[in-house]
Amino acid sequence: MKLKLFNGVIVCLFLLLILIFWQGLHSNNEPQAMAEISKKNYLETIFNNAQIKTKKLPSGIKIINIWSSWCLSCQKEHGFLLKLAKQGYALIGINYRDDENKSRQWLKQHKNPYKLILQDPNGQLALEFGIAGVPETWLVGADGQLHYRYQGEIDQVAYATLLEKLQILQREIS
Amino acid sequence: MKYFLLLMLFIYFLPAQATTTQVYSFNDDTLEKRFELLLQEIRCPSCSNQSIADSNAATSKSLRYRVYLDLKNGYSDQEIISRLIQRYGYSIHYAPALGHPLGYLLWLGPMIVFIFLMMIIFYQQRKGQK
């Protein structure tokens, strides 16, 4: 009788373990980590801390793209950024660990999609976004809240997702 | 021949020199020790299982500089780590118990299971003796 109870407890614990792992598979990775970043006005806070004048920022929906002239993936995704700029979205470029002159030359060669370029030679501004590597793209709502993050090179699929998210953000305004 | 061997020796150690790109200097010895320990506790976000102490990725360089600045500005180790956790999540830290409330379960859990099992074995043995 006691042995049966004991076996029952073991089986229950095992099932519980499976449930926990199953949930882990489907949960968003680290929701708590994003809590700070997804706060309203986070962008303003970062920029204030970095002593960048927020008045310079374009109003409305913004796309923040962290890029470098030494990054090959950035070159590949550049066409999509130009497309986004053509559609009237305000792009802010954060030039990550780069030489300012080299980045200017790079933009001359590949065309400039950015309305505003922020130099980040030490990578400290990009750290505030929890960046793992370049390129990385963020969508910022008109309220200054960071809504969507895309890590890595923008391809056809990612571009479609970005457009979709941007449309949702626009619907929220109107 | 002797000089040639010496030259070869120098060339052999050249790569070891090339990896250290930037050296941070502190006036304070305790600060420098804390700096080195912190670097080993922080995981490089763009590498597979490397601390920022021995990674040369761009993000690691930025993170090393951040730790350096924070130490100079008088932040405590705990504050520096928790600021990074806010941006990168708990995986940035190599000792999760310090950042995450459930982390203690991770460390103590196996211990509790072990004690529980020992108690069962002990109990069964005593029953067998009777």
Side-chain angles (χ1 to χ4, degrees):
Chain A
M1 184 60 205
K2 250 187 183 170
L3 198 72
K4 262 190 188 168
L5 190 76
F6 183 68
N7 282 345
V9 169
I10 296 257
V11 168
C12 279
L13 281 176
F14 189 67
L15 286 176
L16 188 74
L17 202 67
I18 288 180
L19 191 77
I20 290 171
F21 286 161
W22 185 258
Q23 274 200 323
L25 274 180
H26 295 281
S27 77
N28 257 345
N29 55 333
E30 314 245 27
Q32 271 162 301
M34 293 295 288
E36 176 76 17
I37 290 181
S38 59
K39 270 183 195 161
K40 270 192 185 170
N41 301 325
Y42 182 68
L43 196 67
E44 219 171 288
T45 323
I46 299 176
F47 283 6
N48 278 334
N49 287 346
Q51 290 169 335
I52 294 160
K53 282 173 193 144
T54 38
K55 275 183 190 168
K56 273 193 195 167
L57 285 178
S59 57
I61 297 169
K62 294 171 267 289
I63 302 170
I64 295 182
N65 180 248
I66 303 167
W67 113 103
S68 279
S69 71
W70 47 262
C71 142
L72 269 179
S73 306
C74 303
Q75 211 167 312
K76 285 187 196 156
E77 72 167 17
H78 205 68
F80 292 111
L81 295 181
L82 289 169
K83 268 195 208 171
L84 286 170
K86 238 185 194 174
Q87 290 174 47
Y89 290 110
L91 274 83
I92 301 170
I94 296 179
N95 189 19
Y96 183 65
R97 298 191 73 93
D98 206 351
D99 180 68
E100 198 175 337
N101 289 327
K102 271 187 196 165
S103 73
R104 281 217 188 105
Q105 232 167 14
W106 192 88
L107 283 178
K108 243 184 212 169
Q109 204 183 333
H110 295 96
K111 284 187 188 170
N112 181 6
Y114 306 114
K115 273 213 171 131
L116 177 70
I117 296 168
L118 302 168
Q119 295 296 332
D120 188 18
N122 296 317
Q124 297 309 298
L125 184 58
L127 275 194
E128 303 291 340
F129 292 90
I131 189 194
V134 273
E136 192 167 311
T137 309
W138 287 84
L139 302 187
V140 186
D143 53 359
Q145 196 177 349
L146 304 181
H147 278 278
Y148 180 71
R149 169 193 215 174
Y150 183 75
Q151 290 179 284
E153 177 192 326
I154 299 170
D155 52 15
Q156 201 69 51
V157 182
Y159 180 67
T161 322
L162 283 178
L163 280 183
E164 208 177 288
K165 302 273 175 191
L166 282 167
Q167 273 159 11
I168 292 170
L169 283 180
Q170 243 170 359
R171 247 178 269 147
E172 271 171 22
I173 297 174
S174 53
Chain B
M1 189 62 198
K2 205 166 142 194
Y3 288 106
F4 179 73
L5 278 177
L6 207 63
L7 186 74
M8 283 290 128
L9 200 69
F10 278 128
I11 289 173
Y12 181 72
F13 284 111
L14 213 61
Q17 247 287 311
T19 48
T20 51
T21 43
Q22 181 156 16
V23 180
Y24 293 105
S25 60
F26 293 89
N27 298 326
D28 193 353
D29 273 358
T30 51
L31 264 189
E32 195 165 337
K33 260 184 201 156
R34 277 172 62 201
F35 179 69
E36 273 157 23
L37 282 175
L38 273 170
L39 290 197
Q40 285 178 0
E41 263 181 46
I42 297 165
R43 188 195 304 273
C44 159
S46 58
C47 327
S48 49
N49 204 13
Q50 254 186 325
S51 74
I52 61 167
D54 50 29
S55 145
N56 230 0
T59 329
S60 296
K61 286 180 193 161
S62 312
L63 281 168
R64 281 200 290 262
Y65 188 56
R66 166 60 58 95
V67 173
Y68 172 76
L69 287 180
D70 280 359
L71 280 173
K72 284 242 158 169
N73 286 331
Y75 283 101
S76 75
D77 293 3
Q78 190 64 58
E79 280 168 329
I80 292 172
I81 297 281
S82 65
R83 269 156 61 96
L84 286 178
I85 286 174
Q86 279 175 347
R87 281 153 190 79
Y88 283 94
Y90 290 106
S91 61
I92 193 86
H93 196 201
Y94 265 119
L98 296 167
H100 197 286
L102 274 177
Y104 290 101
L105 194 69
L106 190 71
W107 296 112
L108 296 178
M111 208 82 109
I112 292 166
V113 170
F114 179 74
I115 290 169
F116 182 66
L117 285 176
M118 286 308 271
M119 271 164 67
I120 286 174
I121 290 170
F122 185 71
Y123 179 75
Q124 298 276 2
Q125 264 190 344
R126 256 188 40 178
K127 227 170 102 181
Q129 272 172 3
K130 272 182 189 173

